[in-house]
Amino acid sequence: MDIPYTVTARPDTGLFNGKLGIWLFLASEVMLFGALFSSYVLLRVGAETWPRGETILNVWMAFLNTVVLISSSVTMVLAWAALKTNQFQKSRWLLISTFLLATVFLVVKYFEYTEKFSHGLLPSTNTFLAIYFTLTGLHGLHVVGGMIVMAYLFGPGAKMFRIAPERFTNRVEITGLYWHFVDLVWIFLFPVLYLL
Amino acid sequence: MEHATAVHPPVAHHVEHAPELGFWWKYVFSTDHKVIGIQYAITGLLFLLFGFTLMAIMRWQLAYPGQPVPVIGAWLGAGNASGGVILPEFYNQLGAMHGTIMVFMGVVPLAVGGFGNFVMPLQIGAPDMAFPRINMASYWAYFVGGVVMLASFFVPGGAANSGWTSYVPLAVTATTGQTWWLLGMVFLITSSLLGSLNFIVTIFQLRAPGLTFMRLPIFVWMQLVTAYLLLLAFPPLEAAAILQLMDRVAGTSFFLPSGLVVSGQVVQISGGGNPLLWQHLFWFLAHPEVYVLILPGMGIVAEVLANNIRKPLWGYKPIVYSVVFLGFMSFVVWAHHMFLTGMGTTMSAFFQTTTMIISIPSVIILTSLFLSLWGASIRFTTPMLFALAFLPMFGIGGLTGLPLGLAPTDIHLHDTYYVIGHFHYVVAPGTLFALFAGIYYWFPKATGRYMNDLLGKIHFWGSFVAINIVFFPMFIQGLAGMNRRLYDGGIQYAHAQETAKLHVPMGYATFALWFFQLFFIVNFFWSIKKGRQAPQNAWDATTLEWSAPSPPPHGNFPEPPVVYRDPYEYSVPGHPADFTPQFQSDKKA
Amino acid sequence: MPIVASEHGPQLDFYNALVHLLMFALFIGWGAYFVYALYRFSAKRNPRANYHGTKGKLGKQSEIAVAIVEVLFLVGFAFPAWAVRVNAFPAESEATVVRVIGEQFAWNIHYPGPDGRFGRTDIKLVDASNPLGLDRRDAAAKDDITTINQLNLPIDRPVIVHLSSKDVIHSFGLPYFRVKQDANPGMTIPVWFQPTMLTPEGESWEIACSQLCGLGHYRMRGFVTIQTREQFEAWLKEQAAAQ
Ligand code: HEA
Ligand code: HEA
Ligand code: CUA
Ligand SMILES: [Cu+2]
């Protein structure tokens, strides 16, 4: 028993299974973050006062994180491109760089959070902080999820490259699509929370 | 069942083809869509029975408020029922959990997880789902969600008690059970997401050669649209659940406005939240969700009907276009549940209009099914009886949606038993009957044996009569203004006096309904081992699942099937047999 | 249907009946067809099915008819009737104005008194004897009247109710008046209607909380009494004295 189109694209849809799967998954993620953004808008419109993000949050740290995350997206694409041209070792380096950049992101986030907590700024303090912690926390969980997958692809999952290189390349591509989405969410979060 | 794979499949084999799997891997942690489907179906059925039992206890309290529940009253625990008499807080738990269990842990897992998983890949000629391991993960996420929900009955304060709708601020201030409810929902939502994306990919990618979209059985179409609804409507509820969890656990006030005073105490919160936000997010899911409850049922009815009228369904294309349209529209009607939250004219006009528009595709589908009967040669088999009963029952449920969908008439009917009657007609004698039809119909495929016909007919007639006695009086009560979710069934209210008497016969009918399910349960387990042997094509049907052995082996088809024609080619003029299967090539015919 | 005691009630009931008539007609029509088809086309009577089925236009025509009737209902009744309920408020000077505030599990009623102005309220002042937190030192509050679960109203004069809630969502349902409106915390929503019938002596009409609001939801019952203008004034005086 073999499931067709795990590696090659089905001619009439032009996609292999995993790629369609990840696009659908991302569609549902769009709905998830879309709902949260809509909630943000509704709460903000209904609020009597709403602080400007920069008065509470550290814009520079967030800016640094934006740069970090965008670079990680670039290394991710390069990792996939390297596999496409059969440069396995190079792609491993790029994958681990992506992973490390993600770690940097989380470390910066950790400092941001602890700084807030030490000033007694908690989710329960006001609705702005509530939505800030919820959105960035959920985004952070997505980063962690992506890192787990990368670790798998770097570690035990890498063996697949020898048996089924194309399939492995597909997996890296799919992970990349997910990673760009996580990046994209941050690119929305940054101005919405820190600048507006 | 391993012996059936004597013929060598033409495709090269993978390492995955381990010949003998141990019991655990074969029946518990299986990745075979049929085993997962059956796991889903059995778990779903058990939850249905459990949810029904909760309701039977409630119906006793409604019929005889303040009198101890017979037999099981003593087991309910003093915190829930002192001296066997249900307490109001327990009644509310039962109601909330009945709704949650029936919708999220009973019908959807059975209709989508069970039937969708088992039947859909067979009907499209696929060897399995596109992602077998994700499929397994989806079942186990559902299982964990179910366990969390059940466990919540035993935490201090009991299970969630703010209705299946969990309206805030009530739910935020409710007992611990609500936190468990939210966690359980997160698991159930995850399960649906994994399941639905798997379904869509499978339908797009794994169709057999020749099986174009316009040759798909209606059931597959219904599953496809359902999967889209699950995929796109559930995430907003997940977002809402996260926000409510934050409100309960982290002390935020997403849903709590400033200046709340609960039991004379000013609540210490930052405030600034919006209680209506929850309702919008909830109904944005929950309206598509009600179509998730009905579409698989409609699909089953279409299959069973086509098979038993021995002619093609009338209006295949209109039906397909209607469901697709209905799928789109179901995202823009949600606020018809919220007319009385203080809605202005523009909003209400919009949502009334979309609600009326969305009733049209249902009308088209039902009309097509009705017209299919013309010129038929109807076989009254047990599955057919359930499928036929679905039509007028869904009709009553659907039609009573109209006065609810017009805001001015909804004023009097909102939150009364009229609403309860409306949706139970669609989900109980509607969807549940369709699901029963499906079980009787595909049982021979899953087990190689028919279910007993006599027991089946007793089950049908008993349930049909009883269920109408339970639900029809609800319209009378609702029109009289009796509210829902009343612990004592409204006997305090002068305006509800007359119709409160109806609770007694409704109660007895509920117990009778419960009793008639025993015929089904006995039949179900007895037939697995002892039922009459069924041939591979048990009902002389035309769709692809009947070309696989019963039960189908791992990998389903000894030879990959090829499709030559439309799904319901029954009684084709000039053909000797009254059915021409999709998998029958023209040369052989 | 229960007694109808408001001015707009009969109209809503009439349309409700019309909608039910449409539903009934469809049900009977299709039901009759259905039963006939089951009889006429059973395998016994019709052993061989007809591949082509019906050629008639009945299906399409009935679908179009349903659609047209729905449009008529929307435009002819639902939109205007809703607009009257939520927009066409009478002037406050022409109406009896009250505030109704739900709490677990009672209805607090607040009349402005002869000056026609509601006194200031503050949640810090809430206690058992002052459930609304009415600030009695406020000039406008001096003559205010508050009651619990008892709403008296004069007949044949529009009533404007400003609805709100202290804790969770309740719903202000008056079955005999065809009025129902959720009472949300943090919001004040106005509703209006005009009573047209006196509450008979010895009877009490009800306010039925229609939204699940906790374990006491089932007993969150209030009373509405419609009186003549004179009776109502007298009642107000009596209440004012008791405050
Ligand atoms: C499977 C579930 C399901 C389905 C299919 C529907 C279908 C519809 N529903 Fe229902 N609804 C619910 C489940 C469902 N609903 C639930 C669970 C609730 C309550 C939730 C809660 O508050 O707890 C609810 C509540 C609800 C409300 C809110 C009421 C209130 O709270 O005040 C409204 C209002 O517009 C509504 C409208 C409709 C409409 C217009 C349809 C239409 O789609 C119906 C279209 C169908 C037809 C018009 C029938 C056509 C048939 C014929 C023409 C043939 C007739 C022939 C014969 C009878 C022989 N529904
Ligand atoms: C899919 C949804 C669904 C289904 C199927 C049902 C089914 C039933 N419901 Fe449910 N109900 C809801 C969803 C559903 N309900 C919701 C959402 C609410 C609102 C909750 C709230 O207020 O928040 C509600 C509320 C509700 C109320 C109102 C309570 C109140 O307002 O106080 C009542 C009252 O009678 C009721 C009764 C029933 C009855 C008698 C059935 C019967 O039809 C049940 C029939 C069941 C079966 C026939 C079981 C079949 C299973 C088997 C036979 C098992 C076999 C097992 C094996 C073989 C292993 N329900
Ligand atoms: Cu207040 Cu229900
Ligand atoms: Cu709806």
Side-chain angles (χ1 to χ4, degrees), chain B residues 133-466:
Chain B
R133 271 190 296 252
I134 290 186
N135 204 12
M136 180 180 83
S138 148
Y139 173 76
W140 287 106
Y142 159 57
F143 188 85
V144 174
V147 170
V148 170
M149 290 282 190
L150 287 183
S152 73
F153 276 101
F154 301 101
V155 301
N161 54 17
S162 311
W164 80 293
T165 48
S166 289
Y167 274 16
V168 289
L170 182 62
V172 175
T173 55
T175 47
T176 330
Q178 182 65 23
T179 306
W180 287 65
W181 186 90
L182 291 165
L183 286 174
M185 284 311 291
V186 170
F187 279 102
L188 296 175
I189 293 169
T190 311
S191 158
S192 293
L193 290 179
L194 296 177
S196 57
L197 75 90
N198 211 345
F199 275 49
I200 301 175
V201 174
T202 306
I203 296 175
F204 271 93
Q205 298 286 96
L206 306 191
R207 275 168 295 122
L211 189 58
T212 57
F213 272 97
M214 280 302 156
R215 282 179 174 176
L216 286 178
I218 300 279
F219 179 77
V220 177
W221 268 110
M222 296 286 176
Q223 289 288 342
L224 181 62
V225 175
T226 303
Y228 269 106
L229 298 182
L230 287 174
L231 184 80
L232 300 178
F234 255 127
L237 183 69
E238 181 145 36
I242 292 169
L243 297 182
Q244 203 186 92
L245 261 179
M246 292 290 288
D247 274 7
R248 288 183 57 90
V249 180
T252 58
S253 328
F254 289 116
F255 300 129
L256 304 176
S258 313
L260 281 191
V261 183
V262 175
S263 336
Q265 298 291 313
V266 178
V267 187
Q268 295 304 332
I269 44 161
S270 64
N274 182 346
L276 293 187
L277 174 59
W278 167 267
Q279 295 187 26
H280 282 291
L281 292 171
F282 180 84
W283 289 116
F284 187 84
L285 154 92
H287 187 86
E289 176 76 13
V290 308
Y291 290 101
V292 169
L293 296 174
I294 200 73
L295 295 183
M298 279 182 176
I300 295 172
V301 168
E303 297 301 309
V304 175
L305 211 65
N307 176 250
N308 286 290
I309 58 177
R310 316 306 295 165
K311 65 182 276 297
L313 285 181
W314 194 89
Y316 174 90
K317 278 193 184 157
I319 295 181
V320 168
Y321 296 144
S322 295
V323 266
V324 174
F325 180 64
L326 192 145
F328 277 108
M329 288 303 292
S330 70
F331 286 100
V332 288
V333 301
W334 78 90
H336 68 203
H337 297 269
M338 301 170 58
F339 285 137
L340 302 184
T341 52
M343 197 183 279
T345 42
T346 325
M347 275 258 276
S348 93
F350 175 76
F351 284 107
Q352 292 180 72
T353 310
T354 54
T355 302
M356 290 303 121
I357 292 176
I358 204 173
S359 70
I360 301 295
S362 301
V363 171
I364 294 177
I365 296 171
L366 232 66
T367 306
S368 301
L369 295 179
F370 274 128
L371 290 182
S372 300
L373 295 175
W374 197 263
S377 174
I378 303 171
R379 302 189 308 204
F380 292 97
T381 57
T382 308
M384 183 63 167
L385 289 178
F386 277 102
L388 284 174
F390 171 93
L391 300 174
M393 296 294 104
F394 174 78
I396 297 179
L399 289 172
T400 48
L402 300 178
L404 298 174
L406 297 167
T409 40
D410 188 46
I411 295 176
H412 183 60
L413 301 173
H414 178 66
D415 269 331
T416 65
Y417 265 90
Y418 194 92
V419 177
I420 303 283
H422 153 64
F423 74 77
H424 279 90
Y425 260 98
V426 259
V427 296
T431 303
L432 277 186
F433 275 20
L435 295 174
F436 283 133
I439 292 174
Y440 284 102
Y441 183 66
W442 279 301
F443 194 85
K445 184 52 39 192
T447 64
R449 290 168 193 278
Y450 291 105
M451 285 177 80
N452 181 289
D453 209 46
L454 178 67
L455 290 178
K457 287 195 167 132
I458 298 174
H459 174 216
F460 170 73
W461 286 108
S463 302
F464 182 73
V465 172

Side-chain angles (χ1 to χ4, degrees), chain B residues 45-46 48-49 52 55 58-59 62 91 95-96 98-99 102-103 107 163-165 293 417 420 423-424 427-428 432 436 467 470-471 474 484-486 510 513 517 520-521 524-525:
Chain B
L45 278 168
L46 290 174
L48 276 181
L49 193 62
F52 185 21
M55 184 42 68
M58 289 171 79
R59 291 264 31 141
L62 291 174
Y91 182 89
H98 163 77
M102 286 309 213
V103 172
V107 170
W164 80 293
T165 48
L293 296 174
Y417 265 90
I420 303 283
F423 74 77
H424 279 90
V427 296
L432 277 186
F436 283 133
I467 213 162
V470 182
F471 294 123
M474 291 185 177
R484 61 193 284 199
R485 293 167 167 171
L486 295 177
T510 309
L513 182 60
Q517 302 316 309
F520 173 71
I521 296 172
F524 187 88
F525 289 108

Side-chain angles (χ1 to χ4, degrees), chain A residues 74-143:
Chain A
V74 175
T75 52
M76 190 76 220
V77 183
L78 293 178
W80 174 62
L83 277 181
K84 273 280 189 201
T85 51
N86 234 335
Q87 296 165 282
F88 183 60
Q89 276 313 321
K90 185 173 167 202
S91 102
R92 280 175 77 76
W93 278 113
L94 287 160
L95 199 62
I96 200 76
S97 322
T98 317
F99 185 89
L100 290 175
L101 286 167
T103 317
V104 172
F105 177 89
L106 288 182
V107 169
V108 173
K109 208 76 232 152
Y110 170 81
F111 282 118
E112 269 192 86
Y113 273 23
T114 43
E115 202 228 15
K116 293 286 149 325
F117 292 153
S118 67
H119 289 81
L121 298 174
L122 301 171
S124 54
T125 308
N126 60 38
T127 308
F128 170 77
L129 281 165
I131 197 99
Y132 162 77
F133 279 111
T134 309
L135 278 171
T136 53
L138 197 65
H139 176 260
L141 284 179
H142 278 77
V143 173

Side-chain angles (χ1 to χ4, degrees), chain C residues 97-99 108-115 117-119 132 134 136 140-148 150 232-243:
Chain C
V97 183
V98 287
R99 287 177 66 213
N108 295 295
I109 320 278
H110 183 181
Y111 294 89
D115 68 351
R117 291 190 302 138
F118 290 106
L132 287 178
L134 186 62
R136 286 289 179 189
K142 291 249 155 50
D143 58 352
D144 285 15
I145 296 166
T146 63
T147 65
I148 295 176
Q150 180 62 48
F232 176 66
E233 296 297 339
W235 179 82
L236 278 182
K237 289 225 173 62
E238 199 183 299
Q239 293 298 316
Q243 293 291 312

